[in-house]
Amino acid sequence: MAATVSDTLLDWYDKHARELPWRARPGVPPTDPYRVWLSEVMLQQTTVAAVKPYFAAFTMRWPDVAALAAAPEEEVMAAWAGLGYYSRARNLVKAAREVAALGRFPDTEAGLRALPGLGDYTAAAVAAIAFGRRAVVVDANVERVVARLFAIDTPLPAARKAIRERTDAVTPDSRAGDFAQAMMDLGATICTPREPRCLLCPLSETCEGRRTGEPTRFPVKPARKAKPQRRGTAFWIEREGSVWLVRREGEGMLAGMRALPDDGWTARADGTDAAPLEGPWTDIGAVRHGFTHADLELAVRRIETASTPPGEGEWWPIESLDGAGLPTLFAKAARLVLA
DNA sequence: GATACGTGGTT
DNA sequence: TAACCAAGTAT
């Protein structure tokens, strides 16, 4: 009888699993749910390389969920600065507080799914990896591997239903966490988007996508929309060695993060160019920054003043600006001013 | 289902 | 270099 997909893949994983800071050795259970959850949230739409230093910093500073639950949201947001998708940090604090109030992590997929910031993927991944539950874990790696394995040529996102069903069918009852991580490792290192290393793939013999001769045809993705180009202005207001920082409100772009005051640019519209103070302003230059759905050219203007701007904000010592937790866009603007 | 939401690495 | 892409979620 031929070996199953899961047996073959688990054998491969036992030999080739990546060693990652949040990962126990394959098959060895004592996996701290806090570390699994934290890493999974950080890894949402984010590369392993980008996550590593943040994971190290967070676990050093907040070693368990109780410590994170007790942290001021503002400090967690600042520590997240540079990692992107900042609603993750807001939800991270909320979830930590719910778990702390509960006294422990929910240990079922449904219980985890109810926490803020845990969607279908993350709830399944934590249930499987941290609690050994059988769960169907589907991320972009699994989508790609499964779409190729079964030559699913329905375009995304309509293909998700079939992909999920196929993934369910090959997910084993035991070691579901290792199986999920094996699928993701395979997708990240072998079954890559552009030049898959089919000669090294443990599943190549049964892969229907490979049999077609064009494995990279799967999964079929819709064409992308063009990104609009936006313009805006940020204002560097300096007084006695400090710069005026504001906190961005709401739940939109960079919400909750410290920032330079700006002219109200959004992903949908250019800024008004209106300054928070009377001039004279000095033009410093501009920085370019790409967001998911818009590219921004941000002009930077500077002024030295003795007065405090209207509205909420704080004078932040320039020498310790690194600790302010500015998102990358404003870190670039600050770098330009200080260069 | 479609859209909003960051950033840095890779090709 | 300009796309493309990454361990997605919320609305």
Side-chain angles (χ1 to χ4, degrees):
Chain A
M1 170 175 156
T4 62
V5 166
S6 64
D7 284 343
T8 305
L9 194 60
L10 285 166
D11 286 346
W12 174 83
Y13 186 67
D14 288 338
K15 292 182 190 121
H16 301 289
R18 288 180 292 176
E19 290 186 18
L20 300 170
W22 44 85
R23 183 179 273 184
R25 293 187 180 283
V28 181
T31 317
D32 180 354
Y34 171 68
R35 293 167 65 87
V36 174
W37 162 66
L38 178 62
S39 65
E40 288 299 342
V41 173
M42 286 183 166
L43 286 161
Q44 290 167 4
Q45 295 286 284
T46 308
T47 58
V48 165
V51 165
K52 279 181 176 174
Y54 285 85
F55 182 80
F58 268 66
T59 51
M60 177 83 71
R61 185 165 172 186
W62 299 295
D64 52 46
V65 69
L68 187 61
E73 186 199 82
E74 190 175 304
E75 290 185 16
V76 177
M77 299 298 289
W80 197 274
L83 202 53
Y85 286 144
Y86 297 103
S87 65
R88 291 185 293 173
R90 269 180 276 131
N91 285 330
L92 193 76
V93 174
K94 279 190 207 164
R97 291 176 183 168
E98 287 186 24
V99 170
L102 203 60
R104 60 178 177 75
F105 270 91
D107 64 357
T108 65
E109 186 176 354
L112 290 159
R113 183 67 177 77
L115 293 172
L118 281 82
D120 290 342
Y121 162 75
T122 306
V126 175
I129 297 169
F131 296 109
R133 303 278 187 180
R134 184 188 184 280
V136 181
V137 180
V138 184
D139 76 327
N141 287 301
V142 177
E143 267 180 14
R144 187 171 56 253
V145 170
V146 170
R148 287 178 182 168
L149 198 52
F150 299 104
I152 296 171
D153 58 7
T154 310
L156 289 172
R160 298 231 157 90
K161 184 168 180 290
I163 290 173
R164 199 201 139 76
E165 287 170 359
R166 293 289 200 165
T167 306
D168 194 351
V170 295
T171 299
D173 290 329
S174 64
R175 295 190 69 187
D178 284 344
F179 177 76
Q181 295 179 91
M183 291 285 273
M184 294 190 277
D185 277 16
L186 189 75
T189 64
I190 304 286
C191 194
T192 52
R194 300 205 213 176
E195 305 266 344
R197 300 164 172 83
C198 297
L199 293 178
L200 300 177
C201 181
L203 303 179
S204 63
E205 284 182 32
T206 56
C207 182
E208 294 175 31
R210 185 179 187 230
R211 201 166 302 147
T212 70
E214 284 185 295
T216 56
R217 193 157 71 79
F218 312 97
V220 180
K221 296 196 171 187
R224 296 203 174 198
K225 289 184 182 173
K227 283 201 278 189
Q229 175 73 45
R230 299 291 176 222
R231 290 174 178 279
T233 304
F235 301 96
W236 179 275
I237 306 168
E238 188 170 333
R239 190 189 78 177
E240 295 172 4
S242 289
V243 61
W244 184 251
L245 298 184
V246 299
R247 176 171 293 273
R248 294 175 64 88
E249 297 187 350
E251 301 193 335
M253 185 85 76
L254 310 178
M257 302 302 288
R258 287 202 181 94
L260 297 174
D262 64 47
D263 64 347
W265 61 269
T266 69
R268 290 175 168 280
D270 291 343
T272 61
D273 205 30
L277 286 177
E278 291 290 316
W281 292 90
T282 304
D283 287 330
I284 301 298
V287 295
R288 293 181 178 283
H289 192 72
F291 293 101
T292 309
H293 50 295
D295 288 318
L296 178 69
E297 181 173 332
L298 186 71
V300 184
R301 299 198 178 133
R302 177 177 183 273
I303 197 171
E304 284 194 60
T305 181
S307 55
T308 291
E312 300 266 315
E314 57 190 325
W315 291 109
W316 194 278
I318 293 168
E319 61 177 18
S320 62
L321 199 55
D322 285 348
L326 292 179
T328 300
L329 169 66
F330 294 110
K332 281 185 188 175
R335 212 176 303 144
L336 179 66
V337 173
L338 299 173

